[in-house]
Amino acid sequence: MPVKIGAERLLENPGLVPGQRWGLITNYTAILANLELSAVALHREHGKVAAILGPEHGLRGTAQAGLAESADRDPQTGLPVLDTYGLTDDKLDEAIEALNLDALVADIQDVGTRFYTYAWTVVDCMRSAARLGIPFYVLDRPNPLSGAVVEGPGLAPGFESFVGRSSIPIRHGLTIGELARECSARDSADGLASAPVEVIAMEGWSREMYMEDTGLPWVMPSPNLPTVDTALVYPGTALFEGTTMSEGRGTTRPFELVGAPWLRESFATALNSRSLPGAAFRPAWFVPTFQKHEGEPVCGSQLYVTDREAFRPVLTGVTMLEIAHEISGEQFVWRRPEWESEQVRRPFADLLWGSPVLRDGIDGGCGALEIISRSPAPRPYLAPQIY
């Protein structure tokens, strides 16, 4: 018996959400156990979805990272589509208020990692709902990395961004409903506008479950997260997005393949010599078809998870950066995000990590364990767990 997700419970009982005009924050990842989109089923069965609000990558997921689609109407339901990507605060409030909604409902698949922007789209909309006095609901879905393990630092003050709005661990261990409730609880504690977040909880999910244990189908949540294995390594190897090295975009195994044109096979040998828990590496060569080092032969390694319970993706990712820096010398370079103005740009690694400690530690020759221990601790969770 597969886990029953919140969307299926709402289909059975539309009285769980009040009103006649719902705004649905969703995209192509929000499928039911029978692979039908929840937006299509909810619109057909109850006729209360008045608008769809889409995140980064767009409603259909055809846009690459940092982009969204421009469609203003969903061809399957005919419903108007609001592209929320790039909208925050007053602009997001104005756009949502114009939809004249009775309730905002979120149904989207998160991947359990603080960098991933779907969760922050939900949180941004939740905060707009609180300011506008609109009831907010989350149709809960599994954390594909389970909820039993958390790992990684929090954010230092001033390092909040769209890859981390709140100081939670990189591998946060929360469902999307729990994460929204946690941010609402923090906003209330901090004296900000807040309102209760109602979570339509799953039935049959427990914290030790990985995605395969749920009986639910996997839909790649964005173009570069094709498998559950990719999602498992993502909290660590996504840190290479903060460097000029390839994190495997433009290959069929993004985030499992990492490399650079100047690296040698010794990279994988050095990684294996660390005996990282639950991880093994092989030398790998690849040619990215787009983004960093497009069309160039790249040498690096492929990461294999040999023991899912023992594997610690953040420790693994920082160790990979440490060794890449040792081997690369001056060729190892940190990136700055292109979407911010020159005056406010921080190195992207600082936004991903949540402070300069990772970048300073790697540049200073510190080891992975020392960097992790010196980094800001996450803020303790305030909201009680649902499961």
Side-chain angles (χ1 to χ4, degrees), residues 274 318-323 325-326 356-374:
R274 296 296 184 93
V318 178
T319 304
M320 293 173 72
L321 284 167
E322 175 196 340
I323 293 176
H325 180 268
E326 288 176 2
V357 175
L358 172 68
R359 186 172 47 83
D360 290 346
I362 295 290
D363 287 345
C366 297
L369 290 174
E370 181 181 358
I371 290 168
I372 292 169
S373 68
R374 289 170 49 190

Side-chain angles (χ1 to χ4, degrees), residues 98-167:
L99 297 174
N100 189 29
L101 302 171
D102 296 326
L104 265 175
V105 183
D107 185 26
I108 197 164
Q109 181 62 58
D110 186 39
V111 300
T113 299
R114 190 185 68 213
F115 316 134
Y116 213 62
T117 60
Y118 292 169
W120 305 120
T121 293
V122 172
V123 169
D124 284 351
C125 290
M126 175 201 78
R127 288 171 170 165
S128 278
R131 291 189 291 267
L132 295 169
I134 299 173
F136 194 85
Y137 292 77
V138 179
L139 310 181
D140 218 2
R141 290 181 173 271
N143 181 329
L145 308 186
S146 85
V149 179
V150 299
E151 187 190 10
L155 304 181
F159 284 80
E160 299 84 359
S161 74
F162 199 43
V163 290
R165 291 279 196 239
S166 193
S167 182

Side-chain angles (χ1 to χ4, degrees), residues 160-193:
E160 299 84 359
S161 74
F162 199 43
V163 290
R165 291 279 196 239
S166 193
S167 182
I168 60 174
I170 289 177
R171 182 179 177 179
H172 54 67
L174 302 174
T175 67
I176 187 71
E178 289 176 325
L179 192 150
R181 287 208 324 178
E182 174 62 28
C183 289
S184 176
R186 291 181 178 191
D187 287 350
S188 178
D190 295 341
L192 303 175

Side-chain angles (χ1 to χ4, degrees), residues 265-296:
E265 296 176 33
S266 59
F267 182 48
T269 304
L271 290 167
N272 282 322
S273 73
R274 296 296 184 93
S275 300
L276 291 163
F281 303 85
R282 73 167 181 93
W285 299 261
F286 54 96
V287 179
T289 58
F290 63 88
Q291 285 206 349
K292 289 184 273 185
H293 308 297
E294 176 182 347
E296 291 184 74

